[in-house]
Amino acid sequence: MAGKSRSGNRIEPSFEGSGKRGHGSDLRADPRDRSGRSSKSSKSSKSSRSSSSRTRSRRSGGGFFGFIRTAVYWSLVLCLWGGLGVAGLVVYYGSRMPSADSWAMPDRPPNIKIVDVNGVLLANRGSTGGEAVPLDAMSPYIPQAVMAIEDRRFYSHFGFDPIGFTRAMVSNVMAGRMVQGGSTVTQQLAKNMFLTPERTLERKVQEVLLAVWLESKYSKDQILAMYLNRVFFGSNSYGVEAASRRYFNKSARDVNLTEAAILAGLLKAPSALSPAKNPEGAMARAKLVLNAMQEEGFISREELVAAVDNKPMKAKSYWTGAEHYAADMVMDELPGLIGDVKEDIIVDTTIDRALEKAAEKAIKVTLDKEGKKLNASQAALVSIDGTGAIRAVVGGRDYAASQFNRAFKAKRQPGSAFKPFVYAAALEQGLLPNSVRNDAPVRIGKWTPDNYDNKYRGRVTLASALANSLNTIAAQLVMEAGPNNVAKVAQRMGIESVMQENASIALGTSETSLVELTAAYAPFMNGGFKATPHVIKRVTTVSGKVLYENTYDAPPRVLSEKIAAEMNYMMNGVITRGTGKNAKLPGWQTAGKTGTTQSFRDALFVGYTANLTTGVWFGNDDGTSMRKVTGGGLPAKAWSQFMIAAHDGVSPAPLFGLGSDVAPQPELEVKSEPDSNATDDTLFEMISHALGEDKPVKKEKQPVGVIPDERPADEALVPPSDVGDVIRNQDDAADNGLVPPMDVGETTGATQHRKKANSTLLDVLMAE
């Protein structure tokens, strides 16, 4: 059909007679032509889209590699700005610090090293608690352990370790908590020496700056040594030496692998990981240190296993040992000798550590054995030589429990241990050891001193009276010699405490320290020379400069040789057959005196050989009474135990003024336990004596080795006709301040006050 064309069922309109192609001609074009055009158009379209895609790709960064390039780019940008920010902070916080020219490593607080007479360490004193030890002198395990757990790259970094810091931060992030620290050993040293412990950005920046400065000024070994000698290890211990002494009772020079690991582990938490308080925690931390040491190649696997099995003994909770009483005495005396301590010093003492241990053992054994049942809880001991040098001192039962020095600081009544000074004063007045006095009731004013056993022996020699500690004879002698003269003799010989110059001085009512009392006995031992007690022999710096040296090598004479020899003879009798029998020392001549104060509050024994003078005290800090403990009991036993140990291996020597054999006592010696008021007199003689008539006196033998008195012996042996003649102006005694306390001397606490002395015939016969 004209004008129409079939295309399927669809009829397309026809444009005939048209002079040019319109849109309809395109529709009627050859399909191949349409395809060709379509193909070209498609290619062009694809090309256009590809170009647009490439443009968009270029704009978006070029895919994965573009992302990497972008990340790197921005990272560099951030690093640049971060670096500028850090630099700004460093400059800012650095400007707030003092000039680097003024920086200086602060001096380590001075340590006071106290050693015994043989150079053996007794104790360290000072704020650090121990001396500084050179790096090459300490156990090599210590620096290895510290580096392994605290700063593995110590010898590689410049004070700040970026690698170690980054590793620590990553570990902390992964663990979700703080498991590693990023500070180097140098930073820790800088923080400890210059900065406060507060955690601020400013302090951290300053810490790094100071660490870099330290690295530029000191070698690695110097920095490590400074750190190990200053870092805190807990329990008031600064430095490895103090910590080693504190926890293991040994020098840092001798620390083993296990102990070094424990010390290094302490640095994380000194208090929480203390082997004294938490041994399990300390050992668990030490195992981590040992593993780190193996990883770093410091130790082998076999060494690690052995170290884990080698657990150290449990550390004590506090300083123990009697040597610390001696160390405290040193610290009390040191300022007066050298002033302020400004550098490490070494104090050479007179203490013998072996004797110190023997003294401590004697006190402890005696208290442990009998102290509880006799209600004696404390004791003290001091032992000195003839020059006054203190060889041993024990200030109490246990230094850890009580640091109070009862030998040095406590002042108590010496009781009858004071009587030797009374007898020495009497001998200086012309009496002799075999001079006779009457043991009978004595009244001084309103005071009537009794003997310990409340018995009277009649006429006795001074030697026998001292051996048996007769209070009545001592009371007579103090009034004959004069209380003031007795006090002067005691002061001259070494008693520095104030004494009351009255009749009670005879029985030791004036208080004194055990050190004073013991030192005052030494002139008897050394032949009459003063023995000033001292514990410091020499003080030097570490470099060897002498700061102090004692000058007790030329002591003054305080007692004549004659009096010293006579006193040695009499006090030897105290031990051989008197109140001090428990203080016998096999193979040695010994002398001494017991002392017991009112109601058994204090018991003392002070005795000596030609080698040592030793004083021992037993009692209670609160002054409560013991159960009938006298100076001849616990003190004499402890004295004997110590002196046996102290004289082991020493050749015996006689006491001054005595030969190898001591002569027997004079003929007038009485039995130790006579009947009350019983004597060797006949009834006629007793009656005659009571009426004031003297009986003939036998001539006494002079002790062997004792320098004889220049006066005729008969004159010296004539006793007073009556006790009342000895006590001059007795009615005025009370008014003159001569009345002592009710309980003094070696009594049972039952001092009696009689209306009158046994001076009538009826009194003698009835023996009141």
Side-chain angles (χ1 to χ4, degrees):
M1 181 179 291
K4 295 182 181 179
S5 172
R6 187 181 303 268
S7 176
N9 294 323
R10 181 179 180 183
I11 299 176
E12 297 288 345
S14 174
F15 299 92
E16 290 183 348
S18 174
K20 57 181 179 180
R21 295 178 179 175
H23 291 287
S25 64
D26 291 335
L27 295 174
R28 292 192 300 266
D30 190 331
R32 289 176 297 180
D33 293 339
R34 290 199 301 269
S35 297
R37 287 193 298 270
S38 297
S39 176
K40 291 179 182 180
S41 176
S42 175
K43 288 181 180 180
S44 176
S45 176
K46 288 181 180 180
S47 177
S48 176
R49 286 197 301 269
S50 176
S51 177
S52 299
S53 177
R54 283 196 298 271
T55 301
R56 285 195 300 270
S57 295
R58 283 195 297 268
R59 290 175 180 173
S60 63
F64 175 75
F65 293 104
F67 172 76
I68 295 299
R69 288 194 297 271
T70 302
V72 171
Y73 170 78
W74 286 110
S75 295
L76 291 175
V77 171
L78 291 175
C79 287
L80 176 61
W81 285 106
L84 292 174
V86 170
L89 287 175
V90 170
V91 172
Y92 173 72
Y93 289 130
S95 66
R96 293 164 60 91
M97 298 175 65
S99 172
D101 295 336
S102 65
W103 295 356
M105 193 67 176
D107 292 333
R108 184 176 185 271
N111 178 70
I112 302 168
K113 182 180 180 180
I114 303 170
V115 300
D116 80 345
V117 70
N118 297 311
V120 178
L121 180 70
L122 293 176
N124 284 293
R125 289 290 188 268
S127 60
T128 58
E131 62 181 312
V133 180
L135 190 64
D136 57 359
M138 67 179 67
S139 168
Y141 293 125
I142 294 177
Q144 290 173 357
V146 170
M147 286 189 293
I149 198 66
E150 293 292 324
D151 191 355
R152 299 187 181 190
R153 287 170 39 82
F154 173 72
Y155 281 98
S156 302
H157 59 66
F158 54 89
F160 173 71
D161 184 9
I163 297 176
F165 179 80
T166 303
R167 181 179 62 245
M169 294 303 102
V170 171
S171 298
N172 295 336
V173 170
M174 295 296 292
R177 58 188 177 88
M178 180 68 70
V179 294
Q180 289 187 22
S183 296
T184 65
V185 163
T186 313
Q187 286 177 255
Q188 293 180 48
L189 178 63
K191 177 183 66 177
N192 294 338
M193 293 300 98
F194 299 101
L195 303 173
T196 63
E198 61 180 348
R199 296 185 177 185
T200 63
L201 180 60
E202 179 178 4
R203 199 223 67 189
K204 198 66 179 179
V205 171
Q206 293 176 346
E207 176 186 300
V208 173
L209 291 174
L210 288 168
V212 174
W213 172 78
L214 286 172
E215 292 276 349
S216 67
K217 188 173 181 64
Y218 300 99
S219 69
K220 288 287 187 178
D221 286 350
Q222 287 176 318
I223 292 172
L224 187 56
M226 286 189 289
Y227 176 78
L228 293 174
N229 281 300
R230 295 170 185 248
V231 69
F232 180 59
F233 286 93
S235 296
N236 200 34
S237 300
Y238 291 83
V240 291
E241 179 68 8
S244 300
R245 296 284 183 185
R246 167 65 184 86
Y247 297 120
F248 311 121
N249 196 28
K250 61 171 63 175
S251 172
R253 297 171 173 84
D254 306 319
V255 165
N256 61 36
L257 176 57
T258 306
E259 293 162 343
I262 291 175
L263 291 178
L266 279 171
L267 298 175
K268 180 181 180 181
S271 298
L273 298 175
S274 168
K277 300 177 181 178
N278 183 13
E280 293 79 13
M283 196 62 202
R285 176 68 176 171
K287 291 178 182 178
L288 296 177
V289 176
L290 291 170
N291 284 323
M293 293 179 72
Q294 184 196 5
E295 292 174 4
E296 291 301 308
F298 291 132
I299 60 174
S300 65
R301 180 66 184 175
E302 292 74 18
E303 288 178 304
L304 185 152
V305 173
V308 170
D309 294 336
N310 182 28
K311 296 181 180 180
M313 294 179 62
K314 184 178 180 180
K316 298 182 185 299
S317 59
Y318 196 81
W319 287 330
T320 59
E323 64 270 16
H324 291 289
Y325 288 114
D328 290 345
M329 292 176 65
V330 168
M331 296 305 295
D332 287 339
E333 296 181 17
L334 199 58
L337 301 178
I338 65 171
D340 294 335
V341 179
K342 298 180 180 179
E343 60 180 312
D344 283 8
I345 60 173
I346 300 173
V347 181
D348 292 288
T349 70
T350 59
I351 298 293
D352 186 321
R353 188 177 175 86
L355 296 185
E356 188 77 359
K357 292 300 181 184
E360 184 177 23
K361 180 180 178 181
I363 291 297
K364 187 176 187 303
V365 168
T366 306
L367 281 173
D368 289 347
K369 185 177 180 180
E370 301 183 72
K372 186 174 182 180
K373 68 179 181 180
L374 296 177
N375 194 38
S377 62
Q378 279 293 352
L381 181 151
V382 60
S383 185
I384 69 175
D385 65 14
T387 68
I390 298 175
R391 297 303 185 190
V393 59
V394 179
R397 182 172 192 161
D398 182 5
Y399 183 86
S402 172
Q403 293 81 55
F404 180 68
N405 193 334
R406 295 157 186 82
F408 182 60
K409 293 185 176 180
K411 290 193 175 184
R412 296 174 179 267
Q413 293 180 347
S416 292
F418 189 84
K419 287 178 181 176
F421 308 114
V422 177
Y423 280 76
L427 294 182
E428 287 186 342
Q429 298 293 319
L431 298 183
L432 292 171
N434 54 9
S435 296
V436 176
R437 289 294 178 269
N438 191 30
D439 178 22
V442 175
R443 183 161 61 95
I444 305 176
K446 297 180 180 180
W447 176 50
T448 56
D450 290 326
N451 294 326
Y452 174 78
D453 55 6
N454 290 316
K455 298 178 181 179
Y456 302 97
R457 294 158 175 79
R459 288 150 50 83
V460 295
T461 63
L462 299 191
S464 181
L466 183 59
N468 291 281
S469 198
L470 302 182
N471 292 337
T472 60
I473 303 302
Q476 295 177 41
L477 294 179
V478 78
M479 298 309 296
E480 286 189 63
N484 59 328
N485 288 328
V486 172
K488 288 178 181 178
V489 169
Q491 290 170 342
R492 197 170 70 220
M493 295 181 68
I495 301 294
E496 297 180 351
S497 299
V498 177
M499 289 175 282
Q500 296 179 353
E501 298 179 0
N502 56 33
S504 70
I505 197 174
L507 305 185
T509 56
S510 294
E511 295 181 340
T512 185
S513 72
L514 184 62
V515 170
E516 280 183 69
L517 184 65
T518 304
Y521 270 58
F524 299 134
M525 174 189 75
N526 65 26
F529 294 96
K530 186 173 184 179
T532 303
H534 59 280
V535 70
I536 298 177
K537 182 180 180 181
R538 184 185 302 106
V539 181
T540 59
T541 63
V542 175
S543 62
K545 179 183 177 182
V546 178
L547 302 178
Y548 166 81
E549 193 159 11
N550 72 42
T551 56
Y552 297 110
D553 52 351
R557 175 172 288 280
V558 294
L559 207 63
S560 71
E561 292 183 354
K562 170 183 176 296
I563 302 300
E566 290 174 340
M567 289 301 302
N568 287 341
Y569 170 77
M570 290 197 291
M571 284 198 283
N572 173 255
V574 173
I575 296 177
T576 58
R577 70 205 187 306
T579 58
K581 292 179 181 178
N582 283 325
K584 291 181 179 178
L585 186 62
W588 285 80
Q589 288 183 359
T590 55
K593 185 67 188 74
T594 57
T596 310
T597 63
Q598 28 184 328
S599 302
F600 304 102
R601 291 190 178 96
D602 305 278
L604 304 95
F605 182 81
V606 185
Y608 52 92
T609 63
N611 184 41
L612 290 172
T613 299
T614 300
V616 181
W617 166 85
F618 276 75
N620 296 299
D621 287 338
D622 59 4
T624 56
S625 299
M626 295 177 286
R627 294 191 178 96
K628 295 187 177 181
V629 176
T630 66
L634 297 184
K637 292 177 182 178
W639 184 93
S640 179
Q641 181 179 338
F642 165 73
M643 293 292 269
I644 288 174
H647 289 76
D648 184 30
V650 181
S651 299
L655 291 171
F656 177 82
L658 305 185
S660 58
D661 296 320
V662 180
Q665 286 297 303
E667 296 176 8
L668 288 180
E669 179 184 352
V670 297
K671 295 180 180 180
S672 59
E673 293 185 359
D675 294 333
S676 177
N677 289 328
T679 69
D680 293 333
D681 297 338
T682 65
L683 178 60
F684 174 77
E685 291 171 329
M686 292 172 62
I687 296 173
S688 299
H689 184 68
L691 296 175
E693 299 178 3
D694 289 339
K695 68 176 183 177
V697 186
K698 300 177 182 178
K699 184 175 182 180
E700 300 182 61
K701 295 181 180 179
Q702 183 71 21
V704 175
V706 176
I707 302 173
D709 196 331
E710 297 178 357
R711 295 177 300 127
D714 287 345
E715 181 181 347
L717 293 176
V718 177
S721 59
D722 188 69
V723 175
D725 294 335
V726 178
I727 311 302
R728 300 176 179 87
N729 300 324
Q730 62 179 9
D731 292 334
D732 298 330
D735 295 335
N736 292 332
L738 298 179
V739 180
M742 292 201 46
D743 258 350
V744 292
E746 293 194 277
T747 73
T748 59
T751 304
Q752 301 174 17
H753 292 262
R754 297 179 178 85
K755 294 181 179 179
K756 59 180 179 178
N758 289 352
S759 58
T760 67
L761 176 60
L762 180 61
D763 289 337
V764 173
L765 294 177
M766 297 300 293
E768 280 188 22

